[in-house]
Amino acid sequence: MNPSASGWIKKLIRELKPQDLFKDNDLEVYYRHFRDCGFIYGSNVTVVNNWVENDDFEADEICKINLVIALLIAYTNHNTTNDFYTEVANFYNTINKERVSFIQAIIGSKDVKDQAERIINKRIQIDDNLIDKSFNYFITNALLFVDVLAFRNYLKTGSVNDDIIKNYEAIIESIVLNTLNSKKAKSDYDKSLINLFEQSLRYQRDSVLVFNEAIASVDSNLFSRYCLDLAAMATWTDAKLDNEEEIFLNTLGENLNLTQHQTNEASKTIEVFYKTYRQKVPLLGSKNIVKTFYDNSTNMVFKLIKRNSKKLTQELLESKELVILLSKSTIRDLSKEEQKKVQDQLLDVFKSIPSLAIFLLPGGALLLPLVIKFIPKLLPSAFDDNRIEDEEE
């Protein structure tokens, strides 16, 4: 399955179907698994419960898969006459009807399956800017479970508007900001994190909801657990839990009518998660802007190459001089003239592969060293990873 190509949701559903995973089980049953894989925290490190093998998925692709699985669980456990794709498209189109940029993502597509895929892709794609992307996506993606809660409510009531999303976010904003402010002495890091959280919200407000009103507005045990987990995440983004923060979390758990076990579990789970995946969680790496740009570029290039490896390998084999130069580059530094030949010939190769057109844009040649770095790692793969054999469309 290729989550970055057309037809991936259909292929995902086909891979999950034999396991009959979601029958008679609602989100409450699987919530812990969504937390363990990082979906609740906005840092997706694995597909939930390892239901899909993810040897080469990028974080944004894992996030898309986890979001669709969560929506599937909500859909499977509610009676509806519409298929999954229609319900997803109707839900997101309704809550985003005033957002022109969002609606433009699906204009021109009459196929509801294609619409659903485009919507999910747009929902995960927080920022096209490679430099800014990793600084705010983990917080915004941590709010994706709000979509799932709102979708479940939509399936129950048959109606939805963006007010429910706004209300959920207002509650979360109040609780998380109070958590971040629970420290008596805040470092510059803490202040930056507060600003980052405020800027990452999808709906901006003139004022923050009063904390007591936020607590009183929490409408379910599942939402209570989610709010507490986000609060626990906020305390652990500096990789430590201060005494004031621990007291705050315990009090918050009581206010949210959660058991002491659930409160302790929230604190313990985020501690284990951050210690286990420290290198994969953006803010814990403390990367400078140059390294962030390089890392994002590297991931993008590696993914593009792997997705097009079969044709790229064929094109390279037909460019004998290029292959020779690339081979030489593994044992010695190329001269400026040889480097220029490599760049020119690689650009010619990329012209024949549409999805690698980014290298033809102004400045695209800056990414060529990354391409050369990953050339030896090319893996053979089929073009249409989402094709389902012997099935009528």
Side-chain angles (χ1 to χ4, degrees):
M1 182 185 67
N2 179 356
S4 294
S6 177
W8 73 272
I9 294 181
K10 183 178 181 181
K11 184 66 176 292
L12 172 64
I13 294 174
R14 170 59 68 89
E15 291 190 10
L16 294 173
K17 188 175 181 180
Q19 304 177 56
D20 199 17
L21 297 172
F22 315 138
K23 186 177 181 180
D24 300 324
N25 285 319
D26 207 344
L27 287 167
E28 283 85 354
V29 176
Y30 294 113
Y31 179 79
R32 176 174 57 83
H33 299 300
F34 282 104
R35 183 174 56 190
D36 291 343
C37 72
F39 180 71
I40 297 300
Y41 303 134
S43 298
N44 291 263
V45 291
T46 62
V47 173
V48 59
N49 217 26
N50 294 312
W51 282 327
V52 178
E53 295 183 7
N54 55 311
D55 294 336
D56 67 340
F57 293 154
E58 296 296 329
D60 61 325
E61 294 176 321
I62 299 174
C63 186
K64 288 196 295 185
I65 294 171
N66 286 337
L67 174 58
V68 170
I69 291 177
L71 295 174
L72 272 170
I73 293 174
Y75 171 81
T76 302
N77 289 278
H78 290 86
N79 295 324
T80 173
T81 57
N82 294 323
D83 62 28
F84 173 71
Y85 304 97
T86 300
E87 294 291 16
V88 168
N90 288 345
F91 168 72
Y92 276 108
N93 286 335
T94 300
I95 64 174
N96 291 285
K97 61 183 179 181
E98 296 180 358
R99 296 175 61 184
V100 177
S101 61
F102 191 95
I103 298 301
Q104 285 178 340
I106 61 171
I107 288 178
S109 176
K110 296 181 179 180
D111 186 334
V112 69
K113 294 181 180 179
D114 184 55
Q115 281 191 33
E117 285 191 355
R118 292 190 183 201
I119 288 171
I120 295 298
N121 290 341
K122 183 67 176 177
R123 184 63 191 86
I124 303 300
Q125 183 180 334
I126 303 306
D127 194 336
D128 289 333
N129 188 306
L130 286 174
I131 295 180
D132 293 340
K133 186 173 182 180
S134 67
F135 289 108
N136 70 352
Y137 85 86
F138 94 102
I139 287 181
T140 309
N141 279 356
L143 298 175
L144 285 175
F145 197 68
V146 168
D147 292 18
V148 180
L149 292 172
F151 183 63
R152 186 174 70 160
N153 186 71
Y154 158 74
L155 293 172
K156 286 180 178 179
T157 64
S159 62
V160 70
N161 56 52
D162 60 0
D163 286 340
I164 187 172
I165 303 287
K166 292 178 181 178
N167 291 336
Y168 278 139
E169 282 203 1
I171 294 169
I172 292 170
E173 177 186 20
S174 177
I175 291 175
V176 171
L177 289 181
N178 271 275
T179 303
L180 292 171
N181 283 312
S182 64
K183 287 185 178 181
K184 293 181 179 178
K186 297 181 197 59
S187 64
D188 290 339
Y189 181 94
D190 297 321
K191 295 175 183 177
S192 297
L193 188 57
I194 291 173
N195 291 331
L196 175 62
F197 180 83
E198 291 174 334
Q199 294 169 10
S200 298
L201 295 171
R202 289 169 290 180
Y203 297 96
Q204 300 299 320
R205 284 165 288 277
D206 295 331
S207 61
V208 177
L209 184 65
V210 176
F211 182 67
N212 289 337
E213 293 180 3
I215 295 295
S217 300
V218 176
D219 58 6
S220 68
N221 178 265
L222 184 60
F223 189 33
S224 292
R225 294 171 66 187
Y226 178 45
C227 289
L228 183 63
D229 281 324
L230 290 183
M233 180 188 76
T235 64
W236 262 94
T237 46
D238 57 355
K240 60 182 179 179
L241 183 64
D242 296 337
N243 185 54
E244 297 94 337
E245 294 172 324
E246 185 173 5
I247 294 174
F248 180 89
L249 288 178
N250 281 312
T251 303
L252 177 60
E254 292 178 6
N255 292 336
L256 290 171
N257 296 316
L258 295 173
T259 65
Q260 188 61 50
H261 172 74
Q262 289 174 321
T263 301
N264 293 340
E265 187 181 43
S267 298
K268 183 62 178 178
T269 300
I270 191 64
E271 178 183 0
V272 172
F273 181 82
Y274 271 8
K275 287 183 177 179
T276 303
Y277 301 107
R278 183 180 182 85
Q279 299 303 319
K280 294 184 178 182
V281 179
L283 290 187
L284 294 182
S286 209
K287 301 172 183 175
N288 61 51
I289 196 169
V290 175
K291 191 174 189 304
T292 299
F293 172 76
Y294 178 81
D295 287 349
N296 282 331
S297 299
T298 299
N299 290 336
M300 178 189 64
V301 171
F302 197 13
K303 182 167 68 176
L304 284 175
I305 290 176
K306 292 184 73 174
R307 293 288 186 258
N308 296 273
S309 59
K310 187 175 181 180
K311 186 170 183 181
L312 183 54
T313 301
Q314 180 181 351
E315 293 289 336
L316 289 174
L317 290 175
E318 295 176 358
S319 304
K320 295 182 180 180
E321 184 180 14
L322 176 58
V323 172
I324 293 174
L325 290 174
L326 289 174
S327 299
K328 289 181 179 179
S329 71
T330 62
I331 57 177
R332 68 170 177 82
D333 292 334
L334 299 180
S335 66
K336 290 184 178 181
E337 182 179 354
E338 289 173 327
Q339 291 178 20
K340 183 65 168 57
K341 284 184 178 180
V342 168
Q343 289 191 359
D344 290 343
Q345 291 187 41
L346 277 175
L347 287 175
D348 286 338
V349 170
F350 296 152
K351 288 178 182 178
S352 64
I353 305 177
S355 60
L356 296 180
I358 185 173
F359 297 97
L360 305 180
L361 299 175
L366 295 175
L367 300 178
L368 288 176
L370 299 177
V371 177
I372 297 174
K373 173 183 176 182
F374 289 122
I375 288 295
K377 297 184 180 181
L378 286 179
L379 300 175
S381 63
F383 284 119
D384 190 356
D385 293 328
N386 299 322
R387 182 179 179 81
I388 299 177
E389 300 292 347
D390 301 325
E391 178 179 324
E392 295 182 1
E393 294 294 325

